Amino acid sequence: MASESTQQHDSSTANSKDDNKSDPNIDHWQNKPWDATNGDALTGGSLVEESSFATLFPKYREKYLRDVWPIVTRTLDSHKIKCELNLVEGSMTVMTTRKTADPYIILKARDLIKLLARSIPCAQAVKVLRDDVQCDIIKVGGMVRNKERFVKRRQRLIGPDGATLKALELLTECYILVQGNTVAVMGGYKGIKQARQVVLDCMKNVHPVYNIKRLMIMKELAKDPKLANEDWNRFLPSFKKKNVPRRKPRQTILEQEKAKKEREQMREQSGDSNQHDEHTTIGSKKPKKKVYTPFPPVQPPSKVDLQLDSGEYF
């Protein structure tokens, strides 16, 4: 009897799962937050081992972190995560406790201290603890060897008064901060992927405006449900890299023309002073270049040859 009841229970559970899969009203991709009051709990009741992550922070962040650390502590305490700030070593550490219920929250806490170390404001960084917010720290320092070229391309990503970066934030729906040799991005998975591609292309000498224009077109196409299952390549612009010679700036052209006129004047003055010596000096005229021939020159006739020709030899 017990085996029959067990089989009936398993079959009923399988049928309910199949019904849930076929139900169109259930969103199976929905990211549900961890809620202990709603029955979410670990199998053993708590974590078996303690997990911890640590990261270093630069010296200039020490004062700010000391000021905002009580806020960070209160936020992590609500998730049952312990945190430490070590000013001697210049490091931040997060670790789980016996009361930690959500097994994934420690990875979110690790991302939090990474963002704080990369100059993200505390009010913005704590948003990464939400399930719908992810982060990515893009290292761009080693992508360009020349320091001046790297600074120019990084500034190109920011744009005049931060206009380019603001446009990229609106299109990707992400928070982006360019700091030193890294670019920190916070948002959804799709937006982070798009922002990462734009940043890497910018470091490869592709202007962000081209990618921003592409993202704007894609955003408009996404609004049309008829184009949901079609290929968008025919609508998107294709930019080909061309090696077009750059026009010289006006100041450089003027300096070159001025130097050319000075050389001509010097040549005219030197020509006038040497005019009366042209006929007297031997080395004034350059000798003409001889035509190269692979054959040796004809030998002049000897005395005997000349006597034979004139008949004196006989």
Side-chain angles (χ1 to χ4, degrees), residues 51 229 249:
S51 302
N229 298 323

Side-chain angles (χ1 to χ4, degrees), residues 261-288:
K261 287 180 181 179
E262 290 178 355
R263 286 198 299 270
E264 289 178 355
Q265 290 176 0
M266 292 283 289
R267 199 178 295 117
E268 288 176 1
Q269 290 175 3
S270 61
D272 293 340
S273 61
N274 295 332
Q275 260 186 355
H276 63 280
D277 296 333
E278 283 183 357
H279 300 290
T280 55
T281 54
I282 300 169
S284 61
K285 290 183 179 180
K286 294 181 179 179
K288 293 182 178 180

Side-chain angles (χ1 to χ4, degrees), residues 296-300:
V298 181
Q299 291 185 353

Side-chain angles (χ1 to χ4, degrees), residues 251-263:
Q251 186 66 23
T252 309
I253 296 172
L254 293 175
E255 289 178 358
Q256 289 179 353
E257 290 178 355
K258 186 178 179 181
K260 187 177 179 181
K261 287 180 181 179
E262 290 178 355
R263 286 198 299 270

